[in-house]
Each structure stands twice: as structure tokens, then as C-alpha cells.
Amino acid sequence: MAIDYAPLLVFFAINFFAPANPMMRLVGATTGFLNDMDRVGALVIARVICATAAFIVATIAAMIVSRVKLGRVSPMLWISGGLVVIFGGLTIYFHDPRFIQMKPTIVYATFAGVLVFGLATGRPLLEGLLGSAYPGLSALGWRKLTRNWACFFAGMACLNEAVWRTTSWDFWVGFKLWGAIPLTLAFALANIPMLLRHGLQTDGGTAAKELPPE
């Protein structure tokens, strides 16, 4: 879980706590894009570019650490990490925050679509990803869990779209840390009573360990 969410903490920290003048000098020196902008607009773009670049580097580092420490990179981290690199790169290249803001929507929609496909075809895709986190869970339990997460991901995709399209950059960044993560944790915990009714074997709360990356 720390590997999955550490890049988001880096993203948040750079956006809100990195000093403004060094960021503006760095972006101005490497792109020349800020020369014709007022200070407020230049600062916003500098924060977007620096935070996004740090997010990309931290995500790649998390994938490397996952491979070294755990011996594998989870499929969810591959998907999320790949989209961070692609959409983060587009944000930096075009100096447009909308690309990185759309990334969570695409991640959530992808997860929802994959899970719905698994339900429709009778393939336990979620069990293949999270089987070790939910020992003893029955087939019916896996179907219900898959249905629940598919609905959650679809709802989060819609929520991310609503937030980034109607609020400021800073609000959206804060929402990712203080909104999306708590909602995901709360949803995972809310599923535990249902999982216990369908055979989940508890050993200190493993049901909440495997969560989707941001």
C-alpha cells in the first residue's frame, strides 16, 4: 500500500510545499513557456509541471521498488503507472494540467470495464489479482466483491470528472489525497462484513491491504 500511494504523497508535497521561485526558474529555464505569462499564471503552470514531473519519477521508482522488494509489479500498478507516464508526459509537453487530471478517470474506467467484462464472461479476474488478500472467499463472495468494486470504480471515474472540471487545480490535488484515498479505504472496509459472510478468513485485516493505486 505504501508503494502504491507514495507517489501521490510526493505529488501533493511538491505542489503545495515546494518553493515557488525555484520552480518558476526551473520551468522557465527549461521551456521558456512562462515568459509571456503573468506571475500568478506562471506559478500555477510551474507547480503543475514540477509536481507532475515528480509524480512520474516517484511512480517509476515505486514500480522499481515493488519489483525489487516484492518480486513483481501488480497489474493495477502497471496500468496506473503507465498512464501516469503517458498523461503526465502530455501535461508537461503541452503545459496543460487537463491530461494528468483525466488520468484517474481513465484508470477507474479501465478497472470498472475489466471487472464488468469478467462478470459478463464468468472469469474471476479480481480473484486472480487479489486472491491472496481474501483467503477462503467463496465464488459468490468474489462475484459480489467484483460487482461492488466495478460500481465503485465507475462512480469514482464520474466523481473525478466532476471535481477536475468544476474546481481549481489545488482543490483537485487535495481531493486526490484527502478525498479519493479515504473513500477507497472506507469502501474496502465497508465490504468486510459481506466478505466474512462468504467465507473470508481474517488474519489481522488482510482484506484492506490490496487497494488500487492512484
Side-chain angles (χ1 to χ4, degrees):
M1 184 173 172
I3 291 174
D4 291 333
Y5 288 104
L8 183 58
L9 294 174
V10 172
F11 183 56
F12 180 89
I14 294 297
N15 185 76
F16 285 105
F17 301 117
N21 288 332
M23 285 196 296
M24 293 177 65
R25 287 196 297 268
L26 175 62
V27 174
T30 55
T31 68
F33 181 76
L34 305 182
N35 296 338
D36 299 326
M37 300 182 67
D38 63 85
R39 179 176 174 80
V40 174
L43 176 58
V44 171
I45 293 299
R47 290 211 322 257
V48 168
I49 292 175
C50 290
T52 301
F55 193 24
I56 293 172
V57 172
T59 298
I60 294 173
M63 296 172 74
I64 294 172
V65 170
S66 179
R67 177 64 180 173
V68 172
K69 295 292 187 181
L70 304 178
R72 68 185 184 92
V73 179
S74 70
M76 290 190 294
L77 186 55
W78 271 117
I79 294 172
S80 180
L83 290 174
V84 165
V85 172
I86 293 171
F87 283 86
L90 290 172
T91 285
I92 294 171
Y93 183 80
F94 290 107
H95 312 103
D96 189 338
R98 289 178 294 181
F99 291 105
I100 196 67
Q101 289 176 302
M102 287 188 291
K103 189 275 299 183
T105 300
I106 296 172
V107 170
Y108 290 133
T110 299
F111 289 162
V114 168
L115 294 181
V116 169
F117 174 79
L119 282 175
T121 58
R123 300 176 184 179
L125 300 178
L126 192 62
E127 184 176 1
L129 290 174
L130 304 179
S132 62
Y134 299 90
L137 190 61
S138 67
L140 178 58
W142 279 112
R143 286 195 296 274
K144 288 185 176 181
L145 184 65
T146 300
R147 176 204 62 197
N148 292 353
W149 276 108
C151 293
F152 176 79
F153 287 139
M156 289 297 292
C158 295
L159 180 58
N160 184 71
E161 282 295 293
V163 171
W164 83 259
R165 290 180 183 275
T166 61
T167 63
S168 67
W169 165 262
D170 283 346
F171 185 93
W172 176 79
V173 173
F175 164 76
K176 282 177 64 64
L177 184 64
W178 306 115
I181 291 179
L183 283 172
T184 303
L185 290 170
F187 185 79
L189 293 174
N191 276 279
I192 291 179
M194 180 274 292
L195 298 174
L196 292 173
R197 291 195 299 270
H198 291 281
L200 177 67
Q201 300 172 7
T202 59
D203 57 351
T206 55
K209 287 182 180 179
E210 295 284 347
L211 296 172
E214 281 292 311

